[in-house]
């Protein structure tokens, strides 16, 4: 009996001390590994780079076209005009919508390091949503962007080839048994 009373006294003392620490502003709940993991996941989700979360094929194609134009440095005015024209003709947008899409793509791209270095990881959320026709159209559009400025065409063609290899690996044509 004296052992049970001793253990109960110890438990009550620990609970009182924890309560006093909580009243003083020291919360030991942060030591919970499950709470820490959940907080870390939310923090990564909210503070992560939005370029890794693009799921729309249209937005991804616009981002890749902008990245292709900027792979050798800043876009020239000819490249910007050509991109706007391509967005209007290919995506069926008016001038204002095409300009907004180009501005948003350039903003998301930033310096372009993430897209150039982690291309497959950037494309991974959206590749599953591409159809074969959309992937072919995106490849055609990117090829046209790389052909705008022939002076720096080698870097652009290499970048477009990397994008097409990601499409080929991820998008397989529907076979007879699929």
């Amino acid at each position: 009996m004296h052992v049970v009373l001793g253990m109960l006294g110890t438990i009550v003392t620990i609970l009182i001390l924890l309560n006093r620490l909580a009243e003083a502003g020291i919360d030991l709940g942060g030591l919970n590994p499950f709470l820490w993991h959940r907080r870390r996941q939310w923090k990564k989700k909210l503070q992560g780079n939005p370029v890794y979360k693009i799921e729309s094929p249209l937005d991804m194609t616009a981002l890749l076209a902008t990245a292709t134009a900027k792979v050798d440095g800043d876009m020239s005015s000819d490249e910007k005009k050509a991109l706007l024209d391509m967005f209007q003709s290919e995506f069926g947008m008016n001038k204002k919508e095409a300009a907004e899409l180009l501005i948003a793509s350039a903003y998301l791209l930033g310096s372009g390091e993430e897209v150039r270095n982690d291309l497959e990881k950037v494309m991974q959320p959206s590749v599953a949503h591409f159809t074969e026709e959309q992937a072919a159209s995106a490849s055609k559009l990117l090829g046209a962007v790389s052909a705008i400025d022939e002076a720096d065409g080698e870097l652009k063609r290499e970048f477009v080839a990397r994008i097409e290899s990601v499409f080929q690996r991820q998008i397989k044509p529907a076979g007879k048994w699929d």
Side-chain angles (χ1 to χ4, degrees):
M1 184 69 170
H2 65 284
V3 174
V4 173
L5 289 175
M7 290 183 61
L8 285 175
T10 304
I11 292 172
V12 169
T13 305
I14 289 173
L15 291 175
I16 290 172
L17 289 174
L18 287 175
N19 187 25
R20 291 290 196 151
L21 285 173
E23 288 173 357
I26 300 171
D27 184 22
L28 298 179
L31 298 177
N32 182 351
F34 300 111
L35 177 66
W36 175 81
H37 179 70
R38 191 168 48 247
R39 283 183 180 165
R40 186 166 183 267
Q41 292 299 321
W42 272 104
K43 188 175 183 179
K44 282 174 56 177
K45 191 173 190 175
L46 293 176
Q47 294 179 347
N49 192 339
V51 115
Y52 293 105
K53 294 175 179 60
I54 298 174
E55 293 183 359
S56 166
L58 185 135
D59 293 336
M60 181 54 68
T61 303
L63 179 75
L64 293 174
T66 307
T68 303
K70 289 182 76 172
V71 80
D72 59 347
D74 281 338
M75 281 189 282
S76 67
S77 60
D78 294 335
E79 290 172 327
K80 287 180 186 177
K81 185 179 179 328
L83 278 174
L84 288 173
D85 292 341
M86 287 179 198
F87 289 170
Q88 288 174 11
S89 64
E90 196 68 31
F91 300 144
M93 298 180 163
N94 60 32
K95 272 188 171 184
K96 184 179 178 187
E97 291 172 336
E100 288 173 356
L101 184 62
L102 181 61
I103 290 168
S105 297
Y107 178 75
L108 278 175
L109 183 65
S111 65
E113 291 294 321
E114 290 87 4
V115 176
R116 282 192 301 271
N117 296 337
D118 294 332
L119 182 64
E120 192 159 338
K121 189 175 176 186
V122 168
M123 291 178 66
Q124 191 258 335
S126 66
V127 168
H129 300 286
F130 273 90
T131 63
E132 288 181 59
E133 293 82 19
Q134 288 173 332
S137 175
S139 295
K140 184 180 110 181
L141 183 103
L142 296 174
V145 171
S146 67
I148 294 170
D149 188 14
E150 288 298 324
D152 298 317
E154 186 59 37
L155 284 172
K156 292 178 183 179
R157 282 191 291 274
E158 180 182 311
F159 185 68
V160 170
R162 286 178 49 208
I163 294 169
E164 288 175 351
S165 72
V166 172
F167 278 141
Q168 288 173 355
R169 278 190 306 241
Q170 300 292 331
I171 300 174
K172 295 176 177 66
K176 185 174 182 179
W177 302 102
D178 290 338

